Amino acid sequence: MKKIAVILSGCGVFDGSEIHEAVLTLLHIEKLGAQYQCFAPNIDQMHVINHLTGEVDKQVSRNVLIESARIARGEIKDVKELNAQEFDALILPGGFGAAKNLCDFATQGANSIMNKHVENACKQFSELRKPAAYICIAPAIIGHVYPKGVLMTIGTDIDTAEQINQLGAKHVNCDVSDFIYDETFNVISTPAYMLANSIIEANTSIENTISKVFEIMSNDRG
């Protein structure tokens, strides 16, 4: 049975993992007959957002690993334990936590840096040429992980695409139901809620992307 590593970034669209995207990712992995193991960095979130009001709650601090455990039902490990040799593929759901906690792209853009443990984990899959899929805003990480010129998408947002291009990736506009696959580097990206107006549209984006991951695993990895 194939095993897929999933890196989460908290719990909640504005300061962690986008919950719909994370759950849909886990659902489609299991529906296609594979196992998943969730990981997250054991660090404090950049900040905590009140998802009812949209305001920053300056009185509260939350841990990314502990918050991610909510989505994983407690079955989660510190990302520094992730060994790509033990897995067939990697998937990163979106949510602003991917751009706030896994890296600081949300505030630093083209000058962003990654959490060192997340970067190490992602680069392991890149160096082994194992398939990896980045969803929603998570593809902003791709320029940090893969060689210059790697193809990727976050949808059609011009300003975000420009920042990503400055990191060395090459952004390609993409519809919500589609994905961009860079065959050279074996990395896939899809817009999901960067463009989706409903959970159905987000589901189509994620389902198609994960199906592509399984196609690659079947064709290239036996």
Side-chain angles (χ1 to χ4, degrees), residues 147-208:
K148 186 175 182 179
V150 58
L151 302 178
M152 51 71 64
T153 192
I154 46 81
T156 57
D157 185 274
I158 295 173
D159 292 338
T160 304
E162 175 57 29
Q163 294 296 308
I164 286 170
N165 287 338
Q166 289 183 43
L167 282 169
K170 183 177 181 181
H171 184 268
V172 181
N173 284 347
C174 181
D175 293 334
V176 65
S177 62
D178 206 354
F179 55 81
I180 297 299
Y181 172 44
D182 188 310
E183 188 172 359
T184 300
F185 300 116
N186 235 12
V187 62
I188 310 159
S189 48
T190 193
Y193 271 115
M194 289 295 288
L195 291 178
N197 293 310
S198 69
I199 193 171
I200 292 175
E201 289 187 351
N203 178 66
T204 300
S205 174
I206 291 168
E207 183 175 19
N208 290 341

Side-chain angles (χ1 to χ4, degrees), residues 114-135:
M114 288 184 69
N115 171 274
K116 63 180 181 180
H117 296 303
V118 176
E119 182 176 23
N120 175 61
C122 293
K123 284 187 173 180
Q124 287 182 52
F125 285 88
S126 170
E127 291 163 1
L128 292 170
R129 290 204 73 255
K130 292 188 174 185
Y134 293 74
I135 296 167

